[in-house]
Amino acid sequence: MIETATGEILSSAEASEEKQSRVFRGLYGIRTAIWEMWAEFRHEWKRITIASLISPLMYMIALGWGLGSMVSTGDRPYIDFLVPGIVALSSMNAGFTSVGMSFSTQRLYERSFDQVLISPTPIPAYVFGKMVGGALRGIYTGVLILLLSIPFGATININGWFFLVILLNGMVFASLGVLAAILAVTHADISRFSTFVIAPMTFLCNTMFPVEKMPAVVKEVINVLPLTHASSALRAIAYGGMPQWYNFVVLAGYIAAFVVLITIVLIRKSNL
Amino acid sequence: MIKIDNISKRYPKAEKYALDKVSLEINTGEAFGILGPNGAGKTTLMGIITTLILPTEGNVYVDGEMITRNRIDIKRKVSLVTQHVSIRRDMTVSEVMELAGRLYGMPVKQIKARTKDILEFTGLYEKKKQVARGLSGGMQRKLMICRALLTNPKIIVLDEPTVGLDPHSRRKIWDLLEMLKQKGITILLTTHYIEEAQSICDRVALISNGRASEVNTPDNMISRLGSYTVDIYDGITTKSYFFDTKEEAIGFAGDIPGKTKLRETTLEDVFLDRMGTELGEKVK
Ligand SMILES: Nc1ncnc2c1ncn2[C@@H]1O[C@H](COP(=O)(O)OP(=O)(O)O)[C@@H](O)[C@H]1O
Ligand SMILES: [Mg+2]
């Protein structure tokens, strides 16, 4: 019995001696990381979907219906102001959480990242795949929220640029998630990161009220944060206009900076 | 050939070296065992060979070429079964296999076909849709071995692969390793079960406190200690005495009143002897 099976399980031993270039490995590595996130999503999609709808729903009820009736935001209803902000903050959360939580679990607790490190997949490619996967999760969440906003009577303009901004925003925070995950010493570090970095941005960055209403100093700080630019860009498009060019530059700049930081950490850290 | 050249490792913030100038050579197609007490540095060494852990000093060469994290061509040929369970618990058995295959750049079709063969062989096939979280510890370990075989390694590194397995599964793994040996795959094995090393390994290295003290075949190690053992129980502890011939051993045992036992020396005796426990002494 062992004899026959022996032949089988090692049969293709010599035949499969693939010669693959570094570029191919890199692209395949990106795909592998995205596939891994897709497999994760397939198992968890119900939970992910419900979880990503809860707080947006609360914001829309509490702020859109509740507070919104008392707020004036120019000539458009407050819900139109609010929805792009919620799309921005939700795609931020989706990008960060989908990568940060899962990657740090894989690295610190389940230790399946060990298999990535020893595999021939280039680590930067794998990590880049995670960023793309996180951005796609941002888009998924963004679409859910747009659907959710329909019964709330939001009338906003959506086009390709809208999704490009979500993609960039998701990528900014997915790369922040990667960075947090590779720097984390314990799993709790990720939650802490969430509390200190992600949560404040949720409320401050031009999401629920205009930055203009803030004191000057605070405004300066808020204006350099990436989520501010994502919200502003999304709102501009939602109102039927075009975002400022520097919105894109800032988002792209953050992605580039995080990629550089991630690369440095990956090179420096001998024990991932 | 794997050449471990003067490897030292000190973990960040650690006081002492986990490995201290270890040099070993493992021949192609050889089954090589690494034995040592807990904390000796076995896992660290296995990690360094597979680039999971980066050494503080020294290099590892595979067929004359230095292995680093960037040498994807060499890494393609190496599989590692880690001491801890290192699988995604949220994935199904077949997804765990697919992820490994993809990480090694295998075409999906090939992954699927080989996964079926390997899972059938190890009896995990009917669990292929089961999520890893729900597998028993033994099953998870088996899955790690399946995963290591999926990619057709030329070198397979196993860090205590049979820990926690029941005797039956352990035997099955031994058969599997025997089979890999016959296929000319280089096997590097650390184990708690010294009997495992004795039956599988062509040569073993003893390491303790981060230093490799002795490399030899199990038979040579045993005959150097003395092929026959007399155990004497004095009411408190058992002491072992080693003899080159059976006659000598019988002669010695016959002179001793009380409980004595004559048996063949095992690698475990060598291990205990070298690791400086006070259990035995050699009478010549
Ligand atoms: N990540 C780590 N950080 C600090 N020290 C470590 C780490 N891993 C192992 N060590 C230390 O290195 C030594 C060797 O450990 P290890 O290689 O796991 O031994 P073994 O596998 O032989 O039991 C031990 O003293 C252990 O405490
Ligand atoms: Mg160990």
Side-chain angles (χ1 to χ4, degrees):
Chain A
M1 185 199 102
I2 286 177
E3 255 70 83
T4 46
T6 303
E8 277 169 16
I9 72 167
L10 292 162
S11 57
S12 41
E14 309 315 320
S16 69
E17 199 45 58
E18 317 98 6
K19 282 268 176 287
Q20 289 164 346
S21 72
R22 199 162 277 272
V23 175
F24 176 84
R25 289 271 188 213
L27 293 174
Y28 204 85
I30 293 172
R31 205 177 101 177
T32 300
I34 297 171
W35 176 85
E36 188 185 1
M37 287 183 78
W38 166 240
E40 185 180 318
F41 182 78
R42 260 189 333 223
H43 286 290
E44 301 275 320
W45 71 271
K46 283 182 196 146
R47 218 174 305 165
I48 289 170
T49 305
I50 292 168
S52 58
L53 284 175
I54 297 287
S55 48
L57 186 64
M58 294 306 126
Y59 290 139
M60 283 195 218
I61 292 172
L63 303 178
W65 280 347
L67 269 180
S69 53
M70 300 186 271
V71 178
S72 87
T73 42
D75 50 354
R76 296 189 73 116
Y78 178 63
I79 190 78
D80 289 2
F81 179 92
L82 184 63
V83 168
I86 295 181
V87 168
L89 72 89
S90 299
S91 54
M92 164 179 81
N93 270 317
F96 181 79
T97 314
S98 66
V99 177
M101 291 288 181
S102 143
F103 193 7
S104 70
T105 304
Q106 297 320 314
R107 191 170 81 78
L108 297 170
Y109 170 59
E110 298 189 345
R111 315 246 329 239
S112 63
F113 186 59
D114 286 3
Q115 292 292 318
V116 179
L117 286 175
I118 64 153
S119 79
T121 293
I123 296 151
Y126 178 82
V127 162
F128 186 72
K130 290 256 173 219
M131 288 164 51
V132 177
L136 292 174
R137 276 279 296 277
I139 292 200
Y140 175 72
T141 306
V143 170
L144 287 178
I145 288 160
L146 291 175
L147 293 175
L148 184 69
S149 72
I150 296 170
F152 285 88
T155 50
I156 59 173
N157 178 52
I158 296 159
N159 56 27
W161 292 104
F162 196 84
F163 290 103
L164 178 69
V165 175
I166 301 180
L167 188 80
L168 288 173
N169 189 43
M171 205 131 168
V172 168
F173 289 99
S175 42
L176 191 62
V178 169
L179 197 60
I182 58 179
L183 286 174
V185 179
T186 70
H187 196 60
D189 289 346
I190 300 292
S191 315
R192 248 171 252 142
F193 206 90
S194 234
T195 312
F196 290 114
V197 180
I198 301 295
M201 279 203 252
T202 304
F203 294 98
L204 300 179
C205 292
N206 203 9
T207 47
M208 297 160 189
F209 54 86
V211 186
E212 286 74 54
K213 310 228 160 142
M214 290 272 146
V217 185
V218 181
K219 206 156 78 180
E220 292 305 315
V221 175
I222 291 174
N223 271 330
V224 298
L225 296 174
L227 188 65
T228 312
H229 294 267
S231 314
S232 309
L234 289 176
R235 192 165 295 122
I237 301 163
Y239 284 4
M242 270 300 281
Q244 304 290 339
W245 60 270
Y246 55 77
N247 292 152
F248 291 99
V249 173
V250 171
L251 292 175
Y254 269 100
I255 295 172
F258 287 145
V259 168
V260 169
L261 278 174
I262 289 166
T263 312
I264 291 172
V265 175
L266 286 176
I267 292 170
R268 285 275 187 87
K269 237 179 141 175
S270 63
N271 292 296
L272 265 173
Chain B
M1 196 184 74
I2 305 168
K3 185 171 182 230
I4 296 161
D5 188 20
N6 228 358
I7 289 283
S8 294
K9 172 70 186 180
R10 199 168 91 183
Y11 284 100
K13 296 190 192 110
E15 295 249 313
K16 71 183 208 2
Y17 279 80
L19 288 175
D20 189 5
K21 301 198 179 71
V22 173
S23 294
L24 293 170
E25 286 187 9
I26 296 124
N27 300 318
T28 303
E30 184 175 39
F32 194 93
I34 292 173
L35 302 183
N38 281 333
K42 303 181 296 294
T43 298
T44 305
L45 186 59
M46 298 312 215
I48 288 172
I49 293 167
T50 51
T51 74
L52 181 59
I53 297 169
L54 304 179
T56 312
E57 267 167 65
N59 293 308
V60 176
Y61 300 87
V62 174
D63 296 330
E65 302 203 58
M66 195 168 102
I67 181 164
T68 64
R69 281 211 180 133
N70 283 327
R71 287 305 297 269
I72 58 180
D73 51 335
I74 307 177
K75 286 167 98 183
R76 177 65 187 84
K77 300 185 228 166
V78 183
S79 282
L80 169 68
V81 176
T82 50
Q83 182 179 352
H84 54 268
V85 173
S86 57
I87 49 187
R88 283 194 70 123
R89 315 294 200 276
D90 58 343
M91 284 190 167
T92 64
V93 167
S94 49
E95 282 169 344
V96 167
M97 296 292 276
E98 184 167 346
L99 177 59
R102 284 174 180 265
L103 285 170
Y104 276 70
M106 289 167 71
V108 175
K109 236 177 147 178
Q110 195 191 5
I111 297 173
K112 297 250 151 101
R114 281 186 60 75
T115 296
K116 185 162 183 288
D117 290 346
I118 293 171
L119 292 184
E120 271 175 355
F121 175 68
T122 50
L124 270 178
Y125 192 66
E126 63 258 42
K127 308 250 181 221
K128 69 179 162 130
K129 291 230 165 81
Q130 198 164 321
V131 174
R133 196 182 287 120
L135 298 175
S136 69
M139 293 272 190
Q140 292 178 341
R141 303 206 71 86
K142 232 191 222 175
L143 176 56
M144 293 208 293
I145 295 175
C146 293
R147 175 174 69 182
L149 294 178
L150 174 73
T151 56
N152 259 317
K154 299 276 173 285
I155 297 167
I156 181 163
V157 180
L158 304 115
D159 195 0
E160 307 202 11
T162 55
V163 161
L165 290 187
D166 58 74
H168 182 74
S169 313
R170 200 187 306 155
R171 300 278 151 168
K172 263 209 109 168
I173 304 286
W174 293 2
D175 287 344
L176 198 76
L177 294 179
E178 206 56 60
M179 180 190 95
L180 297 178
K181 240 171 93 173
Q182 256 142 49
K183 291 278 161 185
I185 293 168
T186 309
I187 299 172
L188 247 118
L189 176 78
T190 75
T191 178
H192 249 46
Y193 305 102
I194 298 177
E195 144 199 35
E196 181 167 301
Q198 190 172 356
S199 82
I200 294 167
C201 297
D202 302 314
R203 288 193 302 154
V204 297
L206 300 181
I207 79 171
S208 61
N209 287 321
R211 287 167 192 265
S213 53
E214 189 174 353
V215 183
N216 216 327
T217 65
D219 286 347
N220 281 346
M221 282 190 179
I222 289 166
S223 62
R224 278 185 53 196
L225 184 64
S227 301
Y228 294 91
T229 304
V230 176
D231 292 326
I232 298 175
Y233 181 65
D234 63 5
I236 301 162
T237 55
T238 303
K239 277 199 167 192
S240 299
Y241 298 86
F242 305 107
F243 302 92
D244 291 334
T245 66
K246 202 168 186 170
E247 289 69 38
E248 277 180 82
I250 292 171
F252 174 77
D255 296 342
I256 307 279
K259 228 180 148 197
T260 61
K261 197 178 138 207
L262 173 70
R263 60 181 175 83
E264 288 186 4
T265 305
T266 65
L267 194 57
E268 185 151 317
D269 297 313
V270 177
F271 180 79
L272 292 172
D273 181 67
R274 298 298 196 279
M275 293 311 150
T277 51
E278 296 302 317
L279 282 174
E281 66 189 55
K282 182 157 177 161
V283 179
K284 276 269 160 159

